[in-house]
Amino acid sequence: MESRITPPRGRPGRPGKYFDPVILARIKNLTLLARHVVEGLMAGLHRSSLHGLSVEFSEHRPYAPGDELRRIDWKLFARQDRYYVKEYEAETNLRALIFLDSSGSMGYSGGGVTKLEYGSFIAASLSYLMLLQRDAVGLVTMGGEGLRVLAPRSNPNHLRAIITELEGLKPEGRTDIPAALEEVARKLHRRGLFIIISDFIDDPEFVERGFKHLQHRKNDIMAFHIADREEIDFPFSKVTLFRDMEEELEVTTDPRGIRREYRAAVDEHLRRIKAFCHAHFADYDLFFTDEPLHRSLVRYLARRGYSG
Amino acid sequence: MTLSFLSPWFLLAGLAVAVPIVIHLLQRRREVVLPFSMVRFVLLARRRSSRRLKLRRLLLLAVRMAAVLLLALILARPVLRSPASPGPGEEAGYTVMIVDNSLSMAAREGGRSLFEALRVMAEDFALGAAEGELFALIPAARMGEVAPVGSWKTRPAFLQELSRTEVLPDKGDFVRAFEEAHILLREAQRRPRRIVVFSDLARGSWSDFSYLSLRDTDPSVPVRIFRVGREIEMSGGGVLALDVGGESRIAGERIEVTGQLVNLGPESAVKVELWLDGEETDRKMTGIDPGSEGVVTFFFEGLGEGSHRIEMRLREDGYAADDRRYAGLGLSPPVRVLLVDGDPGFTLVESETFFVHEALRPERLSLMDPLEVRLAGVEELARADLDAYDVVVLANVPAPPDGRALTDFVSRGGGLVVFWGGNCRAGEYAGSLTSLLPARLGGIETAAPGSPFRVGAVDYEDAVLSVFRPPDGGTLSTAAFTRRAEVVEELQGTSVPARFVDGQPWMIRGRVGDGEVLLFTSTADLAWSDLPTKPAFVPLLRRAVLGLSGNLDPNQETGILAGEEKVFRGVPALAAVAVTAPDGTVSRVEFKPSEEGRKARYRAGRQVGFYSYALGDREGIFAVNAPSVESDLHRIGAGELKSRFQQVPLEVFSREGGEDGAEFFQAGSRSLTRALFVTLFFLLLAEMLLAGPRLFPRRPSA
């Protein structure tokens, strides 16, 4: 029996409608959009997400006036008779780099927003959220103009630069994820969180090679796979000339006759991408362009240890 | 079988087969252009499914071409013809079609009646005939109706007439049908001429047919006979006849219902139900060997006066027409008898009327008795209101006190029985009852000792005496008469149903007005004979009384066969009789004068069952049954049929072939249009599945 990857579906009419990408697309200002999404999400949480995001112990440092007394390590005081304060990883600034694929295939839309638009919404919302948490966030785009990198910063004003970059993006050029990741990995020396937003229309073996580069430097990886439902369902019924959006490829066929084989091929592709993500401890999730945006944020927060 | 077309020029429409090819080629240019992100996957999918796609495209093209060709074929109206069917290749001529619409054609086979199957075959035959062929339709069954010989008709008019023809509850008369066919063919100016017959060939209708017995025939006219239906597997049975017997038709009388049955099933017993006035009153299992006939009898007693519906039913089988048979029964009120004793004794046994009274009121267990007898003396006769009686019995009465009243009573329809005796005074009888007695009597004759008078010549046609018909009837000859009245003169217009051995009358019958008189020249007691002690005495007396009151009618009609006439005798001051058929339709039949008085004749319609009528203030019922001869569904073989047609060029066709060496084929011509339409439907369905959008689009699994 044929098994298929079953991506989650949006549920119009539920609270998620406030994150509906088609509705949000009407907000031309990406900053406003990101704020709307993030604050909409945070308003729904019952307690602050900024406390105790991480519990991983990092180091001790001598107590200085102004430090909270509850942070003093009393056991160490008992042994050494000196005051030391515990420092945790979470309290060190997170360095996140959002990698947004803006190749030609990201310009596909089955009627709603394009994959690039949807990816931009996610990138903007995540950036807003991270800067709100005083984390450093950067943006890497890869499209017709080659690789463009905005290094991670925690300054809130950095959001404007990211948004400007996102608003100027056009879907063009070929996808070469491994080359892009390799170059990014080479440029950035500090380890951090890599959030890759792409349609992953590339050879899975090559993409995996890029993942290996990142993992080699002990980076955390989150893969946000963006897809349009038409790309998966292939619902076309008329004889169609399919023209590729990145390469000089054309094919005329009757979609009804090949639908079964097409779906099988796409399923296989998705399965392979998911498999190597798991193999490299990367979070993988598939997002459809008609899904509410907040799911990506929830996914991110879950990765950061938020449980509630 | 050969294939031909009724509208062959429509085959040119087959050239339209090029249309799907052109569409197929044009379709490639009408493609939609779509910038797509995953063309590599499309390419891969197409590579994987290219062989299947190509096959599907070719299949689609083939289906579309076949559909176009099929449409052209349908328009050309193809028919499959048997060698028996006249086709366009044959010269147009005249066809007389004799269709068997006898009752046996109502038998069902494969969910429809044989006649429905016949109609389809006959229509096919007519549709397959050459253009310009003229037809004449002759139904084999007509229920006795004298119809003018048919006329030649064009195919549409003929088909219309055929569609109106129905099965009738009658047997087929093929002798008449063939004679009519030849009359029609004599008018035919052109050749060829032919007679075709569609029939189940059931023996019931064909048993008395022989071509040699036909008048004015032309043996050169070929005859084609198409047998409809298969040899019916006999099951169940049939009621061939229903007879209602009994001494009289008087309320309370013991009624005997006898059914003649035929067992056509495999069991050696037949379950019979008797229904009276719409209710099942009795049932029996009657042992009858398979394929044999038998008789079953039921009895009723105590039925009230009026009309009754008697119905004998068998389990319904494939031929339902003979599973029920009907009889109408009308019962009169009890007969009122005034018994006048002219020689009352001191004891009951010594009285003159003892034996007569016992004969008319025998000990019976019935709830009702058909006779109401009142015993009276001579003096009471003078005071009696004779209109309160139907029959007056005078037993050894010296002389009637009021001869005029008695004469008027008989003239108005009453009955008078006179037993002579020693008290009777012949002179006074001659005076007061001159016009009443059927004979003039003289003195008393005495038999020589040891040589009594005995009854010799008996007219068994007489209604009263018919019960003594030898060899089964009892006999009157054992009675010994020692004395008798001398008959001086038998009056004109009288009859003597029974005489003594020496020719002297014993029983004399005379008619006076609307009534009758029965004169016995001996006594009713043991004084002159030992007849009262003989077994014949009781039936003799009872029948005499019943006969004189008009209730002894052994041939009383309980029903007629469909198509026969029911005759009503005229009632004064009544112009017509109203008859109600089983379906409720009322017919008014007028009385017309005839040699035997005024009569109204009603011809029973096509419905079998009970008909009711109103004759003035009298109501009655009669039954109409189908002819039992139609119950014989055995088929006459082709060999036997050919022997009956002698030198006539005859062909016999049947659906399943091979009988008596005859040549059997599929009958007539068969239109293929319906089959082609069905094929076209499935082709279009296949086209939709191959080319059209899915009815239930495949969805990504949830």
Side-chain angles (χ1 to χ4, degrees):
Chain A
M1 201 173 103
E2 185 185 7
S3 65
R4 304 187 67 237
I5 290 175
T6 55
R9 288 175 170 275
R11 292 188 293 176
R14 298 291 179 87
K17 69 182 179 183
Y18 301 111
F19 306 97
D20 187 332
V22 177
I23 296 170
L24 292 173
R26 294 177 192 160
I27 306 173
K28 297 301 178 190
N29 187 328
L30 261 184
T31 309
L32 197 61
L33 180 143
R35 189 175 166 186
H36 176 88
V37 172
V38 172
E39 290 185 358
L41 175 71
M42 299 310 278
L45 301 179
H46 297 298
R47 60 187 176 94
S48 168
S49 60
L50 303 179
H51 290 283
L53 287 177
S54 171
V55 290
E56 189 180 344
F57 176 73
S58 177
E59 59 183 349
H60 283 100
R61 66 172 173 80
Y63 171 76
D67 286 336
E68 292 180 36
L69 288 178
R70 64 186 176 91
R71 292 191 178 185
I72 295 171
D73 188 337
W74 296 108
K75 287 181 181 174
L76 200 61
F77 169 75
R79 285 203 301 270
Q80 299 192 6
D81 199 23
R82 289 183 183 178
Y83 294 110
Y84 288 95
V85 174
K86 277 184 180 177
E87 288 232 315
Y88 294 89
E89 192 67 32
E91 288 163 334
T92 62
N93 285 338
L94 171 71
R95 286 174 61 81
L97 195 61
I98 298 172
F99 176 96
L100 179 60
D101 178 3
S102 62
S103 61
S105 63
M106 289 292 283
Y108 185 76
S109 160
V113 298
T114 65
K115 290 188 283 184
L116 182 59
E117 284 173 324
Y118 191 84
S120 298
F121 296 166
I122 293 177
S125 303
L126 283 174
S127 301
Y128 183 85
L129 179 64
M130 289 173 191
L131 290 172
L132 199 67
Q133 295 182 205
R134 298 191 189 92
D135 291 331
V137 60
L139 178 69
V140 178
T141 59
M142 187 208 68
E145 297 176 5
L147 201 65
R148 292 172 61 84
V149 181
L150 282 178
R153 289 183 185 170
S154 56
N155 187 337
N157 291 332
H158 187 52
L159 180 64
R160 186 175 301 164
I162 291 173
I163 296 297
T164 307
E165 184 66 26
L166 288 174
E167 285 177 340
L169 282 179
K170 288 180 182 171
E172 53 192 0
R174 287 196 55 184
T175 308
D176 191 353
I177 295 172
L181 292 181
E182 189 178 352
E183 193 174 340
V184 169
R186 200 170 53 242
K187 282 183 179 176
L188 299 176
H189 302 293
R190 290 183 63 182
R191 55 184 283 226
L193 172 64
F194 270 78
I195 299 173
I196 303 166
I197 304 171
S198 170
D199 58 7
F200 290 106
I201 301 179
D202 206 342
D203 188 335
E205 281 185 23
F206 286 100
V207 179
E208 186 177 10
R209 200 178 300 165
F211 271 56
K212 280 178 181 170
H213 281 293
L214 292 178
Q215 203 192 24
H216 180 67
R217 294 176 181 275
K218 296 187 176 175
N219 290 304
D220 284 344
I221 306 170
M222 293 185 79
F224 286 6
H225 189 160
I226 312 297
D228 192 285
R229 285 198 193 277
E230 286 192 349
E231 292 175 323
I232 308 295
D233 294 347
F234 206 59
F236 313 109
S237 57
K238 293 179 179 172
V239 175
T240 307
L241 167 66
F242 292 97
R243 187 169 287 156
D244 197 78
M245 300 173 80
E246 293 184 8
E247 298 174 73
E248 293 296 318
L249 277 177
E250 280 187 356
V251 57
T252 303
T253 189
D254 182 350
R256 289 164 300 185
I258 63 165
R259 187 172 294 138
R260 196 172 58 193
E261 287 78 7
Y262 175 89
R263 285 176 175 172
V266 170
D267 281 351
E268 176 60 23
H269 178 74
L270 295 179
R271 194 173 291 117
R272 286 180 66 185
I273 290 175
K274 195 173 180 180
F276 75 64
C277 282
H278 287 172
H280 295 287
F281 305 104
D283 276 0
Y284 171 87
D285 215 336
L286 178 64
F287 296 93
F288 285 98
T289 53
D290 58 357
E291 277 189 82
L293 276 167
H294 70 288
R295 199 164 71 83
S296 57
L297 301 185
V298 171
R299 187 77 182 171
Y300 163 76
L301 290 174
R303 172 76 178 193
R304 292 280 284 143
Y306 176 75
S307 60
Chain B
M1 302 297 278
T2 55
L3 180 69
S4 58
F5 299 93
L6 297 180
S7 308
W9 51 89
F10 272 110
L11 286 175
L12 289 174
L15 293 175
V17 75
V19 173
I21 300 173
V22 173
I23 291 173
H24 191 75
L25 294 173
L26 285 178
Q27 199 179 39
R28 290 166 174 269
R29 297 180 184 177
R30 285 172 47 215
E31 65 207 12
V32 179
V33 178
L34 179 69
F36 195 55
S37 52
M38 301 178 75
V39 175
R40 284 183 181 280
F41 293 88
V42 179
L43 269 171
L44 179 66
R46 203 181 71 153
R47 204 159 46 238
R48 286 178 181 172
S49 59
S50 62
R51 185 176 294 177
R52 190 169 55 83
L53 270 182
K54 191 182 261 182
L55 186 68
R56 205 189 72 155
R57 266 204 309 275
L58 286 175
L59 260 176
L60 194 61
L61 183 62
V63 164
R64 286 173 175 167
M65 289 169 70
V68 172
L69 282 175
L70 212 56
L71 198 61
L73 266 176
I74 289 170
L75 290 173
R77 297 167 68 200
V79 284
L80 269 180
R81 298 181 187 289
S82 78
S85 174
E90 290 189 37
E91 191 185 339
Y94 294 89
T95 297
V96 176
M97 190 181 286
I98 299 173
V99 293
D100 185 351
N101 59 334
S102 65
L103 190 58
S104 63
M105 295 299 289
R108 300 189 77 77
E109 183 183 294
R112 62 177 179 177
S113 74
L114 289 182
F115 192 74
E116 285 164 347
L118 177 149
R119 201 180 273 154
V120 172
M121 287 170 71
E123 282 172 359
D124 285 347
F125 183 93
L127 288 171
E131 288 297 325
E133 180 89 5
L134 290 176
F135 297 91
L137 181 69
I138 299 178
R142 280 229 180 102
M143 295 185 57
E145 285 176 11
V146 180
V149 177
S151 58
W152 295 107
K153 290 186 172 62
T154 57
R155 181 160 47 201
F158 167 78
L159 290 175
Q160 210 169 12
E161 189 181 358
L162 180 66
S163 67
R164 287 196 302 264
T165 309
E166 292 177 338
V167 172
L168 299 180
D170 193 10
K171 61 176 285 193
D173 184 354
F174 285 97
V175 172
R176 173 194 52 77
F178 269 92
E179 284 177 352
E180 282 186 18
H182 282 286
I183 292 170
L184 278 165
L185 288 171
R186 273 206 299 276
E187 301 167 358
Q189 302 299 315
R190 290 179 283 141
R191 287 177 185 278
R193 301 174 301 164
R194 57 179 76 85
I195 298 173
V196 292
V197 182
F198 289 91
S199 169
D200 60 351
L201 296 182
R203 282 193 177 276
S205 292
W206 286 91
S207 56
D208 52 358
F209 177 83
S210 169
Y211 196 85
L212 292 176
S213 65
L214 303 182
R215 291 166 298 179
D216 300 328
T217 56
D218 180 356
S220 68
V221 177
V223 177
R224 288 167 172 165
I225 296 179
F226 295 93
R227 199 183 87 176
V228 184
R230 293 186 289 273
E231 188 71 42
I232 283 186
E233 195 174 314
M234 293 295 179
S235 64
V239 188
L240 302 178
L242 188 61
D243 182 51
V244 180
E247 199 172 39
S248 70
R249 293 288 184 266
I250 300 174
E253 185 62 88
R254 180 182 167 90
I255 302 295
E256 183 180 303
V257 180
T258 307
Q260 188 186 350
L261 313 175
V262 59
N263 181 11
L264 300 173
E267 307 293 330
S268 56
V270 177
K271 190 174 93 173
V272 195
E273 295 172 2
L274 192 72
W275 289 61
L276 178 68
D277 295 329
E279 288 184 7
E280 185 186 347
T281 55
D282 203 355
R283 63 169 66 180
K284 283 184 180 177
M285 289 294 287
T286 306
I288 303 174
D289 290 336
S292 305
E293 292 182 12
V295 170
V296 62
T297 304
F298 293 88
F299 294 97
F300 289 118
E301 275 185 292
L303 279 183
E305 63 179 272
S307 300
H308 298 279
R309 299 157 190 257
I310 298 173
E311 196 178 342
M312 192 170 280
R313 292 184 183 182
L314 301 188
R315 184 174 56 81
E316 211 162 273
D317 53 25
Y319 181 56
D322 66 351
D323 294 334
R324 295 181 183 189
R325 209 154 185 90
Y326 312 93
L329 177 66
L331 296 182
S332 308
V335 175
R336 299 158 299 178
V337 182
L338 180 65
L339 185 54
V340 184
D341 195 331
D343 185 18
F346 290 106
T347 64
L348 202 60
V349 180
E350 288 173 347
S351 67
E352 184 76 21
T353 55
F354 172 75
F355 290 100
V356 177
H357 189 252
E358 287 304 303
L360 296 182
R361 294 296 310 272
E363 288 300 323
R364 303 175 70 177
L365 294 174
S366 64
L367 299 173
M368 298 171 64
D369 197 285
L371 303 177
E372 286 178 7
V373 182
R374 181 161 183 274
L375 201 57
V378 176
E379 58 282 0
E380 286 179 73
L381 176 62
R383 299 192 302 269
D385 176 14
L386 293 181
D387 285 339
Y389 300 96
D390 300 301
V391 177
V392 174
V393 180
L394 304 181
N396 200 8
V397 174
D402 188 353
R404 185 177 183 81
L406 208 55
T407 304
D408 289 345
F409 164 73
V410 177
S411 299
R412 288 197 303 270
L416 177 65
V417 181
V418 180
F419 284 97
W420 207 254
N423 292 348
C424 294
R425 294 190 285 272
E428 289 189 28
Y429 269 89
S432 63
L433 299 177
T434 308
S435 57
L436 198 58
L437 287 188
R440 197 155 59 83
L441 305 181
I444 298 169
E445 292 181 71
T446 306
S451 300
F453 304 119
R454 292 192 187 276
V455 175
V458 176
D459 177 9
Y460 295 114
E461 295 303 316
D462 185 90
V464 175
L465 300 178
S466 62
V467 72
F468 303 114
R469 188 189 300 274
D472 301 325
T475 178
L476 293 165
S477 59
T478 55
F481 294 82
T482 53
R483 272 176 286 184
R484 66 185 183 196
E486 179 195 5
V487 177
V488 179
E489 183 186 3
E490 296 171 25
L491 298 181
Q492 203 171 4
T494 61
S495 62
V496 183
R499 293 177 185 274
F500 289 104
V501 173
D502 60 359
Q504 277 292 307
W506 171 59
M507 179 176 140
I508 309 168
R509 184 190 286 276
R511 175 163 282 279
V512 178
D514 291 333
E516 273 193 303
V517 179
L518 212 52
L519 171 64
F520 291 92
T521 59
S522 64
T523 56
D525 63 359
L526 296 173
W528 287 12
S529 77
D530 61 355
L531 178 66
T533 62
K534 300 295 180 188
F537 186 72
V538 173
L540 175 74
L541 257 295
R542 291 183 69 85
R543 291 179 71 81
V545 169
L546 293 172
L548 290 181
S549 62
N551 288 296
L552 193 64
D553 186 5
N555 298 318
Q556 188 188 5
E557 194 175 75
T558 57
I560 56 174
L561 294 181
E564 288 182 347
E565 276 185 347
K566 167 78 177 171
V567 180
F568 298 94
R569 288 192 174 82
V571 174
L574 199 64
V577 57
V579 181
T580 307
D583 65 352
T585 54
V586 180
S587 308
R588 187 178 154 83
V589 193
E590 292 187 354
F591 284 100
K592 291 177 181 173
S594 72
E595 291 178 359
E596 299 165 349
R598 295 170 68 240
K599 285 183 178 175
R601 298 174 182 276
Y602 173 76
R603 184 174 292 281
R606 295 167 181 182
Q607 302 168 57
V608 294
F610 295 105
Y611 288 65
S612 59
Y613 61 88
L615 205 57
D617 57 352
R618 187 158 65 90
E619 293 185 346
I621 283 176
F622 66 96
V624 174
N625 288 297
S628 60
V629 69
E630 284 292 299
S631 292
D632 188 356
L633 297 181
H634 289 97
R635 304 296 161 84
I636 194 164
E640 186 182 345
L641 208 55
K642 283 191 172 182
S643 72
R644 294 188 184 210
F645 276 86
Q646 297 290 331
Q647 302 303 316
V648 178
L650 172 75
E651 292 173 288
V652 184
F653 301 93
S654 164
R655 281 190 184 278
E656 71 271 12
E659 188 173 324
D660 296 348
E663 187 185 15
F664 284 88
F665 297 100
Q666 171 95 11
S669 59
R670 183 150 297 281
S671 170
L672 297 177
T673 308
R674 192 180 297 176
L676 290 180
F677 260 121
V678 173
T679 313
L680 181 64
F681 171 76
F682 282 111
L683 272 179
L684 292 177
L685 205 63
E687 201 272 348
M688 278 175 63
L689 288 173
L690 284 168
R694 286 186 186 281
L695 290 175
F696 304 102
R698 210 183 282 263
R699 296 176 187 167
S701 49

